[in-house]
């Protein structure tokens, strides 16, 4: 570990850190030339710890709200390999994990193990700017019901583009997909919605990843227009947010 004085130290449980990583790591980029996207942002502020990942097409953010021992605001980017290794080492216990950060390194102390890693240099995008705030079409849906319908539709989606078309009507979500062999799938799911009709396309894999990162039985899906990003979060609490850019179909 470097001889720099440690800038920031904080302690949380195995379970808390594992959960923050699990809810965001799937959105990290892979081998993007914007190297800072090939990792995961760890943001520490008074009373809050956030993890954020984005590959430019989608974004995942999770947060833990409680007082931590860290004394100053900090943002660091953990490399992809470090995140995956941590996820493997952590368990779902209340055993403590201590994080020590300097300007270019992180040290993670578990009960019987120490992991040290370099950090990714660079500036993470201003992620708060891409979280939609003015969506006027708000849907409440059963998570498992919608997930199952999307998974069935995904089987017949184009393997390369993975596109699905979502059509919103009063209390109804229609999911449609087709592939180059002209095979089509259509699913209808009852939802809570009383706004204007809307048709929008998404990458079905991104929607499934977001729903898998939510634990609650119901989720909120906020949309505005066919060319604006959608926002997904647990209906019970918004400590995790998932932004998905639309695609043209």
């Amino acid at each position: 570990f470097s001889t720099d004085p440690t800038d920031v130290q904080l302690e949380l449980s195995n379970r808390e850190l594992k959960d923050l990583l699990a809810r965001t790591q799937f959105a990290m980029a892979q081998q993007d030339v914007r190297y800072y996207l090939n990792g995961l942002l760890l943001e520490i502020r008074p009373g809050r710890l956030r993890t954020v990942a984005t590959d430019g097409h989608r974004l995942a953010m999770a947060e833990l709200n409680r007082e931590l021992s860290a004394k100053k605001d900090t943002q660091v980017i953990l490399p992809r390999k470090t995140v995956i290794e941590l996820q493997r080492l952590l368990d779902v216990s209340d055993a403590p994990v201590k994080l020590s950060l300097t300007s270019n390194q992180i040290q993670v102390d578990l009960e019987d193990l120490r992991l040290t890693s370099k950090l990714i240099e660079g500036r993470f995008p201003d992620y708060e700017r891409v979280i939609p705030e003015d969506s006027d079409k708000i849907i409440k849906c059963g998570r498992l019901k919608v997930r199952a319908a999307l998974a069935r539709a995904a089987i017949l989606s184009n393997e390369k583009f993975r596109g699905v078309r979502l059509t919103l009507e009063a209390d109804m979500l229609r999911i449609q997909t087709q592939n180059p062999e002209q095979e089509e799938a259509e699913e209808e799911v009852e939802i809570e919605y009383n706004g204007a009709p809307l048709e929008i396309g998404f990458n079905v894999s991104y929607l499934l990843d977001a729903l898998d990162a939510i634990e609650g039985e119901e989720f909120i899906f906020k949309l505005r227009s066919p060319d604006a990003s959608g926002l997904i979060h647990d209906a019970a609490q918004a400590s995790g947010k998932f932004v998905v850019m639309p695609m043209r179909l």
Side-chain angles (χ1 to χ4, degrees):
F1 194 58
S2 85
T3 53
D4 297 354
T6 298
D7 292 340
V8 175
Q9 284 191 322
L10 69 149
E11 198 173 284
L12 65 166
S13 71
N14 265 255
R15 181 189 286 111
E16 287 170 331
L17 184 54
K18 191 177 181 73
D19 178 58
L20 287 172
L21 298 179
R23 288 195 286 152
T24 48
Q25 68 168 32
F26 61 85
M28 292 186 291
Q30 295 191 50
Q31 298 170 332
D32 197 295
V33 292
R34 297 163 295 179
Y35 53 90
Y36 47 83
L37 297 185
N38 301 319
L40 182 130
L41 179 74
L42 196 66
E43 181 182 85
I44 302 154
R45 291 200 181 157
R48 188 184 82 195
L49 176 64
R50 267 185 187 169
T51 51
V52 187
T54 179
D55 60 8
H57 301 287
R58 54 168 167 180
L59 178 142
M61 184 199 89
E63 82 182 11
L64 172 67
N65 290 296
R66 68 172 176 80
E67 281 307 319
L68 297 154
S69 51
K71 295 288 186 283
K72 64 179 185 179
D73 291 3
T74 306
Q75 276 196 345
V76 297
I77 307 173
L78 308 183
R80 181 186 185 82
K81 273 186 177 171
T82 305
V83 173
I84 290 166
E85 185 62 14
L86 266 176
Q87 191 68 332
R88 194 180 67 78
L89 294 170
L90 293 162
D91 56 33
V92 290
S93 73
D94 292 322
V97 182
K98 187 174 162 192
L99 305 182
S100 307
L101 298 162
T102 68
S103 59
N104 61 358
Q105 255 179 344
I106 182 169
Q107 178 177 298
V108 184
D109 286 296
L110 302 166
E111 280 186 317
D112 52 359
L113 194 123
R114 171 175 287 178
L115 175 75
T116 303
S117 167
K118 278 201 160 112
L119 298 169
I120 293 179
E121 287 182 26
R123 191 168 173 77
F124 201 80
D126 179 4
Y127 67 88
E128 290 185 318
R129 208 168 47 88
V130 303
I131 297 174
E133 297 294 344
D134 51 355
S135 309
D136 59 350
K137 296 171 178 64
I138 299 172
I139 313 153
K140 192 176 185 183
C141 327
R143 183 175 70 89
L144 295 177
K145 205 163 50 172
V146 173
R147 197 208 174 285
L150 286 169
R152 287 192 295 269
I155 295 166
L156 286 184
S157 68
N158 182 318
E159 283 182 18
K160 187 176 175 193
F161 299 111
R162 306 285 289 158
V164 289
R165 176 180 282 108
L166 305 185
T167 305
L168 280 181
E169 293 163 10
D171 291 335
M172 180 66 71
L173 172 66
R174 186 175 294 114
I175 300 166
Q176 294 164 296
T177 186
Q178 63 182 57
N179 59 29
E181 286 74 54
Q182 302 304 308
E183 297 172 308
E184 293 185 17
E186 183 172 308
E187 297 270 345
E188 287 190 349
V189 185
E190 281 184 37
I191 57 170
E192 287 181 37
Y193 178 66
N194 59 10
L198 174 71
E199 201 170 275
I200 185 168
F202 286 108
N203 179 316
V204 68
S205 300
Y206 295 172
L207 296 178
L208 288 169
D209 282 346
L211 293 184
D212 285 341
I214 290 173
E215 289 181 352
E217 291 179 11
E218 292 188 307
F219 72 98
I220 303 291
F221 199 176
K222 296 180 178 177
L223 297 162
R224 190 174 80 236
S225 68
D227 52 3
S229 294
L231 175 66
I232 294 172
H233 65 77
D234 195 316
Q237 40 100 8
S239 67
K241 291 183 178 176
F242 308 95
V243 179
V244 186
M245 282 176 68
M247 57 190 292
R248 286 215 169 93
L249 295 176

